[in-house]
Amino acid sequence: MLWIVVAAFGTLFLSHTAPFPFLLDKFAPSRSIWRMPHAGGPPTVYLTFDDGPNPTATPQLLDVLRETGAAATFFLIDAHLTSETAPIVRRMFEEGHAVALHSDTRALMVKSPDALSAILLRQADRIEQLAGSRPCRLFRPHAGWRSATMYQGLERIDHKLVGWTFGMWDFNWYRRRDALTLSERLARRVSPGDIIVMHDGHHVDPRPDRQYAVEATRRLVMTLKPKGWVFGRLCDPPTARC
């Protein structure tokens, strides 16, 4: 009997927290993106960056993307959008990157559908007001924690939940994150349609040291581009409207 309880609890826990598609996502396949389809053509990978804008690291990252000719999708935390960082977000739009919504708390997974949709619309309004352009209709919850009510709220405002390809992240199992080993691991494992997530910010600290992410991005792009890889934006059709 105990193993049944443990299995049930584990299944329930994973359905909300798994870093890959699980039960909740199976019930809302049109509302979640964990990997992009690849229908021929050049192999395409999707760089995404969480927890910005960071007034120190994000401009450096944008410099790298401009120098290497790579596109990316930035998932922004509302609390980090200020008069200081708004020009950075404006630059994201101007240089052809995609901008979408992120959160700095797991509490959104217990909000009602109406409350969640209202929060996300307010955040999108602020980005448009301060940076001059509106983010596309994508949302990445903090640490990937999600719920049925979150999916209901996203459906009401025609947004999609975005995850990432399993293993294609910068989490290093509580060890120091190193640009060289990270870029080598990602380059070794990448396949067409993968969504990579790195962090140019932090959900609490508005200006953390993220030099590892800047350098890892440079190394990864310079490794993949000569092999014919291209770097897509998650907001491009048919995934979502920009």
Side-chain angles (χ1 to χ4, degrees):
M1 183 67 180
L2 179 61
W3 71 268
I4 296 177
V5 174
V6 171
F9 176 80
T11 300
L12 180 63
F13 181 77
L14 280 176
S15 67
H16 295 286
T17 65
F20 48 81
F22 203 61
L23 290 181
L24 282 174
D25 314 291
K26 300 300 183 183
F27 288 109
S30 65
R31 284 288 146 206
S32 64
I33 303 168
W34 292 86
R35 184 185 179 86
M36 292 292 286
H38 182 68
T44 304
V45 65
Y46 298 83
L47 297 175
T48 70
F49 299 94
D50 283 4
D51 292 347
N54 177 347
T56 57
T58 307
Q60 299 176 41
L61 181 57
L62 288 169
D63 288 344
V64 167
L65 295 172
R66 181 178 59 193
E67 293 164 7
T68 58
T73 304
F74 290 85
F75 289 87
L76 306 183
I77 289 179
D78 183 66
H80 294 342
L81 180 61
T82 65
S83 58
E84 178 187 14
T85 60
I88 301 172
V89 181
R90 184 180 296 272
R91 180 183 169 188
M92 293 174 186
F93 286 113
E94 291 174 348
E95 297 188 358
H97 303 293
V99 174
L101 304 175
H102 194 30
S103 61
D104 58 353
T105 175
R106 295 176 175 87
L108 293 190
M109 66 182 292
V110 298
K111 297 287 186 181
S112 70
D114 285 341
L116 175 71
S117 59
I119 289 170
L120 296 184
L121 288 178
R122 284 198 302 270
Q123 293 178 359
D125 288 344
R126 285 195 73 233
I127 291 175
E128 185 173 23
Q129 178 184 10
L130 293 175
S133 298
R134 194 167 186 83
C136 61
R137 299 176 182 178
L138 300 179
F139 168 67
R140 176 175 280 161
H142 178 57
W145 284 43
R146 53 209 185 272
S147 64
T149 54
M150 180 177 286
Y151 273 121
Q152 292 167 13
L154 292 174
E155 184 174 11
R156 294 185 184 187
I157 56 175
D158 193 23
H159 279 52
K160 293 188 178 184
L161 183 146
V162 177
W164 49 83
T165 304
F166 184 77
M168 303 302 286
W169 51 60
D170 58 0
F171 180 64
N172 201 27
W173 301 105
Y174 303 104
R175 297 189 299 271
R176 179 177 175 273
R177 286 178 276 202
D178 173 77
L180 177 60
T181 56
L182 172 60
S183 61
E184 289 179 344
R185 173 170 61 83
L186 294 175
R188 186 171 60 251
R189 297 183 179 182
V190 70
S191 59
D194 278 355
I195 298 174
I196 295 173
V197 57
M198 288 189 273
H199 293 76
D200 61 327
H202 183 271
H203 67 286
V204 176
D205 183 357
R207 52 179 77 226
D209 180 1
R210 288 292 187 250
Q211 194 59 44
Y212 83 88
V214 175
E215 184 58 29
T217 299
R218 182 190 303 277
R219 290 176 176 272
L220 181 62
V221 175
M222 296 304 292
T223 298
L224 295 182
K225 284 199 78 173
K227 299 178 180 179
W229 287 81
V230 297
F231 297 83
R233 309 180 325 150
L234 291 180
C235 290
D236 289 335
T239 307
R241 291 189 295 272
C242 289

